[in-house]
């Protein structure tokens, strides 16, 4: 009986959190940022990862509350620890740019989170990792190209442009100008200015 009561309590807790988060989203859409933030915060403090992510966004962009990157990082971390892919991406970016602790620890943790988010299909994480591996102190071109292709195939025109650069310059792949042109054309067709300039050149 105790176990059944505990299960009911958990379901009730989750349902309230989901409802509060939905109310927060609707309030944000209606332009009621303070109300939205309050709803997100109530759900986040009950442990609901989607709401924790939304609170992070509010703190990062100063919507419904004061802008506070440290608090944004805290809530992204909470959501990321529950495997929320977009929170993993945002928290990784926070760690690389503002996070506490040693550079090496932050760097290592951020890359792990970015890879988890990328494998969960977050295009922004795939694109970020692609460029990150291409431009690092010790470039890993094949690895970078793998992530750029994932992002490009998800519709990211900037990553498609970078794939073209890889084929043009032979980075992580054998040089192939025809393939570079194909990627530049696709990127330009999607509105990428750099790709259009590269085609003219």
């Amino acid at each position: 009986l105790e176990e059944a009561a505990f299960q009911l309590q958990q379901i009730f807790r989750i349902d309230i959190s989901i409802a509060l988060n939905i109310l927060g989203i609707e309030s944000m859409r209606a332009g009621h940022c303070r109300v939205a933030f309050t709803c997100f915060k109530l759900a986040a403090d009950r442990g609901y990862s989607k709401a924790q992510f939304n609170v992070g966004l509010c703190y990062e962009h100063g919507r419904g509350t004061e802008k506070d990157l440290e608090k944004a990082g805290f809530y992204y971390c909470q959501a990321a620890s529950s495997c929320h892919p977009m929170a993993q991406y945002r928290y990784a970016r926070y760690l690389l740019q503002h996070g506490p602790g040693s550079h090496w620890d932050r760097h290592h943790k951020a890359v792990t989170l970015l890879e988890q988010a990328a494998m969960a299909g977050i295009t922004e994480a795939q694109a970020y990792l692609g460029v990150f591996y291409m431009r690092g102190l010790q470039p890993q071109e094949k690895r970078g190209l793998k992530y750029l292709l994932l992002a490009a195939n998800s519709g990211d025109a900037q990553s498609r442009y970078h794939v073209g650069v890889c084929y043009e310059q032979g980075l992580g792949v054998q040089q192939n100008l025809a393939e570079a042109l194909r990627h530049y054309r696709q990127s330009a067709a999607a509105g990428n200015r750099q790709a259009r300039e590269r085609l003219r050149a």
Side-chain angles (χ1 to χ4, degrees):
L1 199 61
E2 269 182 40
E3 178 64 23
F6 176 74
Q7 292 297 332
L8 274 173
Q9 216 174 18
Q10 293 298 99
I11 291 164
F12 185 61
R13 207 171 127 236
I14 290 165
D15 283 348
I16 286 178
S17 301
I18 291 168
L20 284 166
N21 192 57
I22 291 167
L23 192 59
I25 292 166
E26 293 306 314
S27 297
M28 192 64 81
R29 282 187 187 140
H32 306 301
C33 298
R34 281 208 178 281
V35 174
F37 174 75
T38 302
C39 292
F40 292 146
K41 185 92 166 49
L42 285 167
D45 292 343
R46 297 169 90 80
Y48 188 50
S49 64
K50 288 182 180 179
Q52 290 166 339
F53 173 71
N54 287 331
V55 170
L57 285 176
C58 288
Y59 275 124
E60 183 178 359
H61 300 291
R63 300 195 69 188
T65 187
E66 292 292 313
K67 195 172 183 175
D68 188 325
L69 292 179
E70 202 172 308
K71 285 181 181 173
F74 172 79
Y75 280 97
Y76 286 148
C77 177
Q78 297 284 303
S81 67
S82 297
C83 299
H84 186 292
M86 197 57 166
Q88 290 171 328
Y89 166 68
R90 293 273 185 170
Y91 186 52
R93 294 284 305 266
Y94 169 78
L95 284 173
L96 289 170
Q97 294 165 10
H98 312 284
S102 79
H103 174 74
W104 172 249
D105 287 344
R106 285 186 290 124
H107 182 273
H108 182 70
K109 188 170 186 177
V111 169
T112 302
L113 287 166
L114 283 167
E115 289 190 341
Q116 289 170 352
M119 296 323 289
I122 302 298
T123 306
E124 293 92 330
Q126 295 164 347
Y128 193 93
L129 270 177
V131 173
F132 179 83
Y133 281 127
M134 286 290 177
R135 293 184 180 165
L137 291 173
Q138 298 173 312
Q140 298 177 49
E141 293 166 354
K142 283 188 178 174
R143 203 170 200 175
L145 180 60
K146 176 186 109 171
Y147 285 111
L148 287 173
L149 277 167
L150 282 172
N153 292 336
S154 295
D156 184 55
Q158 184 66 24
S159 293
R160 181 70 65 193
Y161 163 76
H162 286 305
V163 171
V165 172
C166 290
Y167 275 101
E168 183 181 0
Q169 297 179 6
L171 302 171
V173 70
Q174 191 167 348
Q175 190 178 35
N176 185 329
L177 296 182
E179 194 65 10
L181 273 172
R182 185 175 76 80
H183 288 287
Y184 286 145
R185 284 190 187 113
Q186 285 181 13
S187 180
N192 186 275
R193 184 181 51 79
Q194 288 174 292
R196 284 199 296 268
E197 287 171 4
R198 200 78 204 99
L199 283 169
R200 279 198 295 271

